[in-house]
Amino acid sequence: MSVFSQQLNPTTGRREWGVMPEDYDYKQEVARSAYADMLHDAERNDKYYEGVRRAVATLRRRGEAVRVLDIGTGTGLLSMMAVVCGADSVTACEAFYPMAECARKGLAANGCGQKVHLIPRRSTEIEVGPGRDMEERANLLVAEVFDTELIGEGAIDTYRHAREHLLTEDALLVPSEGTVYAQVVTSEMLQRWNRVSPVRWPTGGDGGDDAEVLVAIPPSVQQCPGAAAVHDLQLSQVPRHWFTPLSPPLPVFKFDWSGRKKDLPCDETTRKKFNSLSDGQCDAVLMWWDVVMDSEGEVLLSCAPFWAHPDCEGKGGACSSEDVPWRDHWMQAVYYLPSPCWVSEGAQLTLVSSHDEYSLWFNLQRVEGEEVCEDRPACQCGIHIINSRTRLGQLNDPARLEVYLRVLRHLVTPDTVLLALGDGCVMGVAAAKMGARHVYLTEGSEVGRRVMEAFIATNRVQDKVTILTEDISDTSLTQLVAPVTAVFSEPHFSTSLLPWHALYCWYARNTCTHLLGPTPVLAPCRLTLWALPVWYRDLWKIRAPLNTCNGFKMDVFDKLIEDACKEADEKVEPHPLWEYPATARGTPVPLLTLDLCPLTIPDGPISSEGAVTLPPPGVVNGMALWADWQMTEVEGDVVTTGPTQEVVVGDYVQWDRYSRQGVYLFPAPHTLHPGLHHTLHHSTTFQPQDGTMMFEFHISSSSSSSSSSSSSSSSSSTPVTKPYSTPEGLTGKE
């Protein structure tokens, strides 16, 4: 049975109806879950296993029968570990029905179907007593209910309910404790994802703080505490020169999941004093956590970045991100302080840390007795509501701003009537300040409209800037001061996920041709799509099959993920690749170029295909895709969403930090053996009628002395390693 589903097309901007399988929603949830990379986390699995083994042994020494409760069992892995460790009874619960079915089949496949009582409900719905879900309370709880913030998946409520209703008074827990660490830093780079800086006009200078302000920031934006939402990042990929620590890592929250040593509060505020390690502005707080897997405190699982990880302690600068486990399910996070302040080295400060049932936030007390707000900060200006962290970064990116200002400088004259298409286009205000006759902005939301009105008022261009509705097809030419002479779009829209989704600017232009003069200037004028064969050091784990996990067969789970991805996921996914190391295994390949100057969208598909040679040795497990936007015909007027430095085969790629790239993963990695000729074949098709971009990649290999070849594509790979294992002697980086 199928159902009709309405979705917004991010490229065309149209709402479209599609026919989806009845179970599309849950398959989409499965496909995009973190189950796969979580189960590829060998350290996590091993330490849970060791924690369970020790807890079972402790209960045996007590002379007790071991009754295990596994909350949120997922695949059933922790329950099977408990069975192997000798538990007398195991009860597992899983509320997400597809995963509960997966667990049932997986338990049976591993000979544990009769040894684990599976309940397809939430733990808070379990009843204890004769003839009920559990005959008696459990004396060992194993649970994995954590996220990047540790408590964001409801861990506090889960443990409180279990303690009161499902566990014995002296029950053991795996894990037993959790600690949240926070470190205050100064970082202009991190602030780019939080606070919008003035746009400065480099009048012959370098555009630094001493340059003339072209677009001033409204006071409401300057004084806004920002968004309280966590900014999850792979902190191990943040260059050390981006920030200066002002405090050591501080343990700000300690959670005793049993509630015996310390109550498990839903709301809590702590204060930690420290002396500033350096002069600097207190900009942000870096956060991570660890959990203790045993009651003795000997089995520790840490999510710290490599430079604060206990495994790297005492090794100085010898450690890197390759020396600590990679995790995408538990990352680290940045929290931006509501009021950044300058401090001197040695100054005594107090970090004020708060949490509710699901989230964390931070503030700073500069002097003893100073009143500090303990409430969760909330955006008051609107700019943090309508813009993602990625977009805020773009608004502060010097490279982008340099291109935009250069384009506008040559485009704007006293006769220019400019139409700026896009969300929160501050460059429209810049054009008015440069002397354009009139500028028309488009805003789709009321909040966005209020934000742009504040920018317009602050810069005193109310008589030169008019905000239109997002749908400008109903705007008549008589509403304008004159026909539009130039159309400018930043290659960003709030609906854009993949780099080429910003082609929406082409479709938006098509709806306003009645407003344009005879020869309007159009920016951007051209789009080029690029691809790069790479070895993803870690990112492959999000889609790679498990086969086995700690000795348990995972075929059922692998099939569930594979089927869900086929039906609910696209071949290309958006990811910020600067956070996910990738080694170049070839040179950038141009896939397709689109001329955006025609005002009429073509009727038929636009296709391109080709082949390039890949140099051995190495391993290719995916493709990275991006878009270059040629703003004008001038060679340097390009905004890229791809590499920011020259790509060198065998080296890590340096990616644009203020956009997401497209990621295509091969089903199995392809080994580039010396002595063989390896060819990457590619084809790209753009369907203008619905904005669909389709990609196909496969790699063929042949003997240098033979014309016959074997190939790998989306279904096979020859020659290949075992699925996603690195061949001996070959790594992603030489």
Side-chain angles (χ1 to χ4, degrees), residues 133-154:
D133 298 314
M134 293 170 57
E135 290 288 326
E136 53 185 322
R137 291 182 176 231
N139 57 3
L140 172 54
L141 172 64
V142 294
E144 201 282 73
V145 289
F146 310 120
D147 69 347
T148 291
E149 290 193 278
L150 184 63
I151 59 174
E153 290 187 1

Side-chain angles (χ1 to χ4, degrees), residues 55 262 379 452 562 733:
K262 177 179 177 288
C379 174
M452 292 314 299
E562 181 184 358
K733 181 175 173 66

Side-chain angles (χ1 to χ4, degrees), residues 388-469:
S388 65
R389 298 287 185 193
T390 298
R391 175 57 176 165
L392 291 173
Q394 291 178 4
L395 292 173
N396 291 308
D397 178 21
R400 278 178 170 78
L401 294 176
E402 181 183 354
V403 174
Y404 296 150
L405 292 176
R406 186 168 61 244
V407 169
L408 290 175
R409 183 176 60 187
H410 291 97
L411 185 152
V412 171
T413 72
D415 297 323
T416 299
V417 177
L418 181 78
L419 175 60
L421 297 175
D423 303 312
C425 187
V426 176
M427 288 298 106
V429 178
K433 294 287 290 287
M434 289 179 182
R437 179 181 176 186
H438 207 89
V439 175
Y440 293 94
L441 306 179
T442 58
E443 283 297 332
S445 71
E446 184 57 37
V447 176
R449 195 180 188 90
R450 290 202 309 269
V451 169
M452 292 314 299
E453 286 172 348
F455 272 90
I456 292 166
T458 298
N459 289 277
R460 300 179 181 178
V461 288
Q462 296 95 321
D463 60 332
K464 301 186 70 173
V465 181
T466 301
I467 302 177
L468 306 173
T469 60

Side-chain angles (χ1 to χ4, degrees), residues 6 19 63 132 157 177 216 224 227 230 272 293 324 327 337 356 359 418 444 463 477 541 548 611 686 698 700 715 726:
Q6 190 183 49
V19 179
R132 298 187 176 181
D157 180 62
E177 295 178 350
C224 181
V230 59
K272 291 286 183 179
M293 290 295 181
V324 297
R327 300 185 172 99
L337 292 167
D356 57 18
S359 55
L418 181 78
D463 60 332
L477 186 57
K541 297 174 186 176
T548 62
F686 174 59
H698 71 273
S700 65
S715 59
T726 304

Side-chain angles (χ1 to χ4, degrees), residues 82-94:
V83 170
V84 171
C85 288
D88 295 286
S89 67
V90 180
T91 300
C93 64
E94 175 57 58

Side-chain angles (χ1 to χ4, degrees), residues 41-56 58 78 81 140-146 150 159 172-178 257 289-303 327 330:
D41 185 349
E43 186 197 39
R44 166 198 176 272
N45 301 338
D46 292 345
K47 291 194 172 179
Y48 261 100
Y49 212 161
E50 178 62 15
V52 171
R53 187 193 67 77
R54 291 188 178 209
V56 170
T58 297
L78 301 185
M81 289 178 177
L140 172 54
L141 172 64
V142 294
E144 201 282 73
V145 289
F146 310 120
L150 184 63
Y159 280 109
L172 300 181
L173 287 80
V174 178
S176 59
E177 295 178 350
W257 303 123
W289 52 262
D290 63 32
V291 287
V292 176
M293 290 295 181
D294 62 324
S295 54
E296 293 79 23
E298 296 175 353
V299 183
L300 179 75
L301 188 152
S302 174
C303 293
R327 300 185 172 99
W330 298 331

